[in-house]
Amino acid sequence: MSKPRPKRSRLVLFLSLSGLLSLCIFFIEWIGSKESGSLALFADAGHIFTDVFAHLISLFALLIASKKPTQKYPFGFHRFEVLAAFLNGLLLIGMAGFILYESYLRFSKPGHVEADSMLAYSLIGFGINLISAGLLVGVSKTSLNLKSAYLHVLSDLLGTLAVVVGALIIRFTGFREVDSFLSIILGIFILKTSYGIVKESVEILIEADTSDFDKAHLLTHIKVLNGIESVPQITVRKLTSGVFSVELQILVVKGSDRDKIVLEIHKVLKEEFGVPFVSVEVLSSSLKSQLEDLSVRETEREFGHHGHSHGHAHDHHH
């Protein structure tokens, strides 16, 4: 059974607050990089700025996804959240590449750094980042879109922590190359997390079978209903995290109340599982076998039904 999604207004509030905090961190670290001469702090400020952009994408997606389904868009606009998560994932990959490139430059040309100033500004950024991550950690578990935003904040947190550790090491040892080692570790971490986000987004967009929905649990609810012989097919589409559409093919016993069966299945899926989009195909065993004998005519997909000659009239009456 899927987890309930928090109210959208709560998601928008938390995401907006987190975005404002990220903007504050950007200005603080940008000023700090000027005062300290720290390239690491400047790179982290740029890292934070991409996070602000990611928050804007996620916020826009949340507002778009709240629109009601229409005749043209029967499943609503939930996929905008998935598209936002996909874009955020790509942004994370680009960010990781930037960090790895910057670490290479630091190896070759380490510059002078005011460690005390670098430490002070990075500690302030780290504190604000902790608050931002705390805002998103709970709601990120129920939304792929907010999960990607949370991973941005988490990567910010780790990046700022790397700057803090780097400042401490430079302060007490003078070993300036430590920035490069920490940046490489951070870049690899971001690549790993961003791959997960992109992979999950693509799976949703191409409507791959999802493991997030407990089909076995659903079957135990449906098979106990009177008049059902078997459930040959269950198709679950994930629209975004926590939102599914379910299509069922049901074989019924002869003489059973089909309307009652369809009503009960809708009740189970909507009231027990929280699935807003339900489609039920009710068949007899004889009709099922006839359907299996039908063959699908091969067509040129780019033309569609209206763009080819299919060799028959549209009057199907016999």
Side-chain angles (χ1 to χ4, degrees):
M1 194 178 298
S2 60
K3 295 178 182 178
R5 287 165 60 87
K7 287 185 178 179
R8 193 168 295 274
S9 58
R10 183 166 171 259
L11 298 181
V12 170
L13 174 63
F14 279 38
L15 192 60
S16 301
L17 289 173
S18 177
L20 286 173
L21 290 174
S22 294
L23 195 60
C24 290
I25 298 167
F26 164 71
F27 283 114
I28 289 168
E29 292 195 348
W30 181 71
I31 294 168
S33 69
K34 295 291 184 184
E35 290 193 12
S36 67
S38 168
L39 182 60
L41 200 57
F42 179 77
D44 197 50
H47 179 193
I48 299 289
F49 187 74
T50 63
D51 180 52
V52 174
F53 179 70
H55 274 73
L56 287 174
I57 292 174
S58 296
L59 188 60
F60 174 75
L62 272 174
L63 295 173
I64 288 292
S66 65
K67 295 178 69 174
K68 299 294 183 185
T70 64
Q71 187 173 359
K72 187 174 182 179
Y73 303 103
F75 294 111
F77 297 84
H78 294 290
R79 290 280 168 84
F80 275 93
E81 290 188 67
V82 183
L83 286 171
F86 177 71
L87 291 174
N88 284 354
L90 293 180
L91 198 59
L92 279 165
I93 291 173
M95 184 192 307
F98 171 75
I99 291 171
L100 292 172
Y101 175 70
E102 285 294 317
S103 68
Y104 165 75
L105 294 181
R106 285 177 218 153
F107 265 123
S108 56
K109 292 181 181 179
H112 175 70
V113 177
E114 280 289 338
D116 290 340
S117 179
M118 176 184 175
L119 180 62
Y121 280 100
S122 59
L123 279 172
I124 294 170
F126 183 74
I128 300 174
N129 252 319
L130 275 176
I131 298 170
S132 184
L135 283 172
L136 295 181
V137 63
V139 291
S140 69
K141 296 174 183 177
T142 55
S143 169
L144 178 61
N145 183 21
L146 266 76
K147 182 181 178 183
S148 66
Y150 170 66
L151 285 174
H152 272 287
V153 173
L154 190 60
S155 67
D156 293 342
L157 189 63
L158 292 175
T160 310
L161 179 61
V163 177
V164 170
V165 172
L168 287 170
I169 292 174
I170 294 170
R171 173 72 176 79
F172 291 106
T173 69
F175 182 59
R176 290 175 295 177
E177 289 82 359
V178 71
D179 277 350
S180 299
F181 291 113
L182 293 171
S183 297
I184 289 171
I185 294 169
L186 176 61
I188 292 171
F189 169 78
I190 295 173
L191 276 177
K192 184 185 176 192
T193 53
S194 58
Y195 170 75
I197 284 291
V198 171
K199 180 174 177 285
E200 187 176 355
S201 301
V202 170
E203 285 177 350
I204 292 174
L205 291 172
I206 66 173
E207 299 189 346
D209 191 39
T210 176
S211 59
D212 294 1
F213 192 90
D214 193 346
K215 292 182 182 178
H217 189 195
L218 174 62
L219 280 173
T220 60
H221 279 263
I222 291 176
K223 286 184 175 179
V224 296
L225 299 176
N226 290 330
I228 292 181
E229 185 178 312
S230 66
V231 184
Q233 187 176 322
I234 299 178
T235 303
V236 179
R237 291 184 177 89
K238 188 175 182 179
L239 304 179
T240 187
S241 291
V243 180
F244 301 91
S245 73
V246 176
E247 296 176 9
L248 292 143
Q249 190 178 75
I250 306 292
L251 291 188
V252 295
V253 178
K254 188 177 181 179
S256 57
D257 189 338
R258 296 190 174 202
D259 286 349
K260 185 178 179 182
I261 289 171
V262 172
L263 177 61
E264 291 299 321
I265 290 172
H266 272 262
K267 280 185 177 179
V268 167
L269 279 161
K270 291 178 178 177
E271 296 177 1
E272 299 293 329
F273 286 79
V275 176
F277 305 104
V278 181
S279 178
V280 183
E281 184 181 37
V282 181
L283 308 172
S284 63
S285 297
S286 60
L287 178 56
K288 169 73 173 170
S289 62
Q290 291 177 58
L291 292 177
E292 289 173 347
D293 291 336
L294 294 175
S295 59
V296 179
R297 183 180 184 275
E298 291 186 11
T299 61
E300 296 182 45
R301 283 184 287 174
E302 62 269 27
F303 294 116
H305 186 71
H306 62 279
H308 68 274
S309 176
H310 43 66
H312 67 267
H314 278 179
D315 184 4
H316 292 283
H317 295 293
H318 297 288

